[in-house]
């Protein structure tokens, strides 16, 4: 496959780098500033026992042309509209787009732009960040990418899903069969909103929150709200997965923080509307009370208004 990775940040850059290292035909669509940095330093990955440098094939929006089989779209939701505009020349009748955003709203906007048939569901499970040099640092073991058709479930994955999974697994990226990708997206949404709400409200890592009296109870209460919304939408979180999320957000001494917390602490815009605003809107439509998630949303909206005015 000819693969275009939109963005060479912490997640997209990591998955694209693994695919390129495995011999796949990968091109990175990046902004001019990122292109200059990657041309100078290469695409560097380290952490969790791996360290390598690639000379990535780069394009910018003004030099992009068509012919791609697969587009991995890994950008912040705040950059989604601009990214969709930039990648449009790469999309032809046979192109498949796999977005790696949290939440659900991007499926509608991408489907409206490129056609629902072109867009698969995707769930990225990876803990990476960019360091001060713009290099990718992997901070925890998971490196999985779930892919599936968003239409009615079938007995077997489609040919294009099988091909994408084969490429991912061949690059060392875990990509198992998924019975219902939309359910998997909802369950990731529950995880990320729980983790982000707890750390952003309390302005601390998971371990710092749980070291304070009431911290562990807060994590469980936020998870209960998020899981209730998912269940009301028709996607109850399996007990084993819910227990794993609870263990993550109540782990003593854990240094874990999500990217939204790091954006908040860094004074940068966050994905509050895509991740939180959309979820609480759905909660209201389903008559599910979510006072803690609403509090986290208001907190992040105040921050968002402040940084966008500066």
């Amino acid at each position: 496959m000819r693969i275009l990775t939109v963005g060479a940040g912490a997640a997209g850059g990591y998955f694209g780098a693994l695919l390129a290292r495995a011999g796949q035909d990968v091109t990175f669509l990046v902004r001019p500033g990122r292109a200059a940095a990657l041309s100078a330093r290469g695409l560097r990955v380290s952490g969790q026992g791996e360290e390598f440098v690639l000379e990535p094939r780069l394009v910018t929006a003004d030099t992009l042309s068509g012919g791609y089989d697969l587009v991995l779209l890994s950008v912040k939701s705040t950059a989604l509209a601009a990214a969709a505009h930039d990648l449009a020349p790469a999309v032809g009748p046979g192109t498949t787009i796999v977005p790696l955003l949290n939440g659900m709203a991007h499926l509608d906007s991408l489907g409206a732009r490129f056609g629902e048939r072109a867009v698969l569901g995707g769930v990225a499970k990876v803990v990476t960040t960019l360091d001060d040099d713009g290099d990718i640092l992997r901070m925890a073991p998971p490196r999985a990418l779930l892919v599936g058709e968003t239409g009615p479930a079938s007995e077997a994955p489609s040919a294009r899903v099988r091909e994408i999974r084969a490429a991912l697994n061949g690059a060392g990226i875990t990509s198992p069969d998924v019975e219902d990708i939309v359910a998997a997206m909802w369950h990731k949404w529950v995880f990320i909103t729980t983790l982000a709400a707890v750390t952003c409200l309390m302005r601390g890592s998971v371990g710092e929150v749980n070291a304070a009296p009431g911290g562990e109870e807060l994590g469980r209460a936020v998870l209960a709200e998020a899981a209730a919304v998912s269940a009301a939408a028709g996607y109850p979180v399996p007990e084993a997965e819910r227990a794993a999320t609870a263990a993550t957000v109540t782990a003593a001494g854990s240094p874990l923080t999500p990217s939204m917390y790091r954006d908040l602490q860094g004074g940068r815009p966050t994905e509050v509307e895509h991740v939180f605003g959309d979820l609480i809107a759905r909660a209201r439509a389903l008559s599910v009370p979510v006072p803690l998630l609403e509090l986290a949303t208001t907190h992040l909206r105040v921050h968002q208004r402040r940084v966008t005015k500066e």
Side-chain angles (χ1 to χ4, degrees):
M1 290 184 295
R2 191 166 181 234
I3 302 170
L4 180 70
T5 298
V6 182
Y14 181 69
F15 288 127
L18 291 179
L19 286 163
R21 186 177 64 166
Q24 293 289 340
D25 182 356
V26 180
T27 300
F28 295 87
L29 173 60
V30 293
R31 299 292 186 188
R34 183 66 168 152
L38 291 172
S39 296
R41 287 183 57 79
L43 181 55
R44 297 171 178 261
V45 175
S46 64
Q48 297 297 304
E50 63 184 356
E51 185 167 352
F52 62 93
V53 183
L54 295 176
E55 294 184 10
R57 183 185 300 117
L58 306 172
V59 294
T60 52
D62 59 332
T63 60
L64 179 65
S65 58
Y68 289 92
D69 303 302
L70 172 64
V71 175
L72 291 180
L73 177 57
S74 181
V75 297
K76 298 283 190 182
S77 61
T78 50
L80 179 60
H85 176 270
D86 289 347
L87 71 86
V91 179
T95 303
T96 297
I97 302 170
V98 178
L100 305 182
L101 289 78
N102 293 314
M104 300 294 296
H106 56 277
L107 291 182
D108 292 335
S109 60
L110 291 170
R113 176 76 187 252
F114 300 109
E116 292 183 3
R117 175 70 178 77
V119 184
L120 294 181
V123 174
K125 296 187 177 183
V126 65
V127 185
T128 50
T129 190
L130 293 183
D131 66 17
D132 292 340
D133 293 319
D135 301 336
I136 297 170
L137 175 63
R138 181 173 169 226
M139 300 180 292
R143 59 176 184 190
L145 207 169
L146 312 184
V147 180
E149 304 282 353
T150 61
S154 60
E155 293 184 1
S158 64
R160 63 175 177 170
V161 167
R162 291 197 302 272
E163 184 178 13
I164 293 168
R165 287 178 182 166
L168 293 169
N169 284 314
I173 302 166
T174 303
S175 188
D177 287 344
V178 182
E179 183 176 342
D180 186 342
I181 192 64
V182 175
M185 292 174 68
W186 265 97
H187 300 160
K188 171 69 181 301
W189 200 5
V190 168
F191 172 82
I192 201 64
T193 50
T194 300
L195 179 60
V198 170
T199 56
C200 290
L201 274 176
M202 298 297 102
R203 297 294 184 109
S205 67
V206 167
E208 289 173 325
V209 173
N210 289 306
E216 182 176 329
E217 289 79 2
L218 174 65
R220 295 186 186 280
V222 174
L223 172 57
E225 289 187 3
V229 182
S230 188
Y235 303 99
V237 182
E239 187 54 42
E241 192 163 345
R242 181 165 173 163
T245 298
T248 298
V249 299
T250 61
S254 171
L256 181 63
T257 60
S259 60
M260 188 175 293
Y261 169 85
R262 296 192 292 273
D263 287 338
L264 179 67
Q265 291 295 91
R268 297 182 293 271
T270 71
E271 298 181 283
V272 55
E273 295 305 332
H274 192 83
V275 175
F276 280 92
D278 187 33
L279 187 68
I280 65 169
R282 294 173 191 247
R284 290 168 179 167
L286 295 165
S287 300
V288 178
V290 287
L292 292 172
L293 290 172
E294 288 181 337
L295 177 63
T297 304
T298 302
H299 177 64
L300 288 163
R301 281 172 171 166
V302 171
H303 166 81
Q304 193 83 348
R305 287 174 63 86
R306 180 184 300 127
V307 298
T308 53
K309 288 180 179 178
E310 294 176 352

